[in-house]
Amino acid sequence: MSFENWAAFAAASTILLVIPGPTILLVVSYALGQGWRTALPMAVGVAFGDFTAMTLSMLGIGALLAASATVFTVLKVVGAGYLIYLGIKLFRAGGTLEAEPRLDAVSSAKMIAHAWLVTALNPKSITFFVAFLPQFLDRHADFWTQMLIFEATFLALAFANAFGYALIAARARNVVRNPQAIRIFNRTGGTLLVGAGIATVAMRSGN
């Protein structure tokens, strides 16, 4: 796997993680209600959840890689279409972030478990990883090495993203409640997702 491929994966992952989703809504809800102390346990729970969903997705992709090059190519094309769909949906989402403060006092362990459940057991997480990861995998490189590098990179970014959102929500609450800021996130992220999907389709067509 080349450095350029890893850098593209890291950049795309960073952009996608910043886009508010169910996990971020949960992180913001806890931070709005209970302050900065929620940042670490929520970030740990999110990282564990992404580890679960990403590992399951990668193992499934690995099986497809071993089974058939054609099936893997079809998966990449279908995944590209799914990214375009997600991008259009996100672009049209507007500027709302439905995150109500959670005022019920819970332990750090319960916060970790809650974040893990929401992140790992969301069917969209596994579906997304199955669509997203093949765009960066090199079928001719060692799969397990790629799996280790991609997972370590994504989990570090996911932890940092959740931690950052919690701190911002706790210290600068007006930012996460600003419709204009959320609209910019959504439209930028949606445009990038559509672009990634189109680029993948174009690349496959040129082969």
Side-chain angles (χ1 to χ4, degrees):
M1 180 176 61
S2 67
F3 174 80
E4 290 77 11
N5 200 38
W6 172 84
F9 172 81
S13 297
T14 299
I15 295 167
L16 293 167
L17 283 166
V18 169
I19 300 169
T23 297
I24 294 303
L25 291 179
L26 181 69
V27 170
V28 170
S29 294
Y30 271 106
L32 288 174
Q34 301 182 41
W36 62 268
R37 78 175 188 88
T38 65
L40 182 58
M42 293 304 293
V44 170
V46 169
F48 279 144
D50 277 326
F51 172 77
T52 302
M54 196 172 185
T55 299
L56 291 174
S57 301
M58 289 289 278
L59 292 176
I61 293 169
L64 288 175
L65 272 170
S68 169
T70 301
V71 172
F72 183 68
T73 299
V74 170
L75 176 62
K76 292 190 71 170
V77 174
V78 172
Y82 182 65
L83 292 180
I84 294 172
Y85 163 75
L86 287 179
I88 294 172
K89 185 177 179 180
L90 182 63
F91 189 91
R92 300 174 61 185
T96 59
L97 186 62
E98 303 295 335
E100 295 299 324
R102 296 186 65 95
L103 301 176
D104 49 320
V106 297
S107 66
S108 294
K110 288 185 177 180
M111 278 189 268
I112 291 173
H114 195 177
W116 175 79
L117 285 171
V118 170
T119 306
L121 302 185
N122 181 0
K124 290 183 179 179
S125 294
I126 296 178
T127 304
F128 172 75
F129 281 127
V130 169
F132 179 65
L133 290 170
Q135 318 307 320
F136 301 94
L137 284 172
D138 181 354
R139 192 171 188 277
H140 302 290
D142 182 70
F143 172 77
W144 297 107
T145 300
Q146 292 182 88
M147 179 176 175
L148 176 62
I149 294 172
F150 283 152
E151 287 210 27
T153 300
F154 192 91
L155 295 181
L157 292 172
F159 178 92
N161 182 65
F163 193 86
Y165 256 110
L167 291 182
I168 291 172
R171 298 295 181 88
R173 302 186 178 193
N174 289 336
V175 174
V176 296
R177 292 188 177 278
N178 186 330
Q180 183 64 25
I182 301 304
R183 188 176 293 110
I184 291 172
F185 274 136
N186 287 343
R187 291 185 176 178
T188 301
T191 300
L192 291 170
L193 280 175
V194 171
I198 292 175
T200 300
V201 172
M203 183 172 61
R204 295 308 310 170
S205 300
N207 287 346

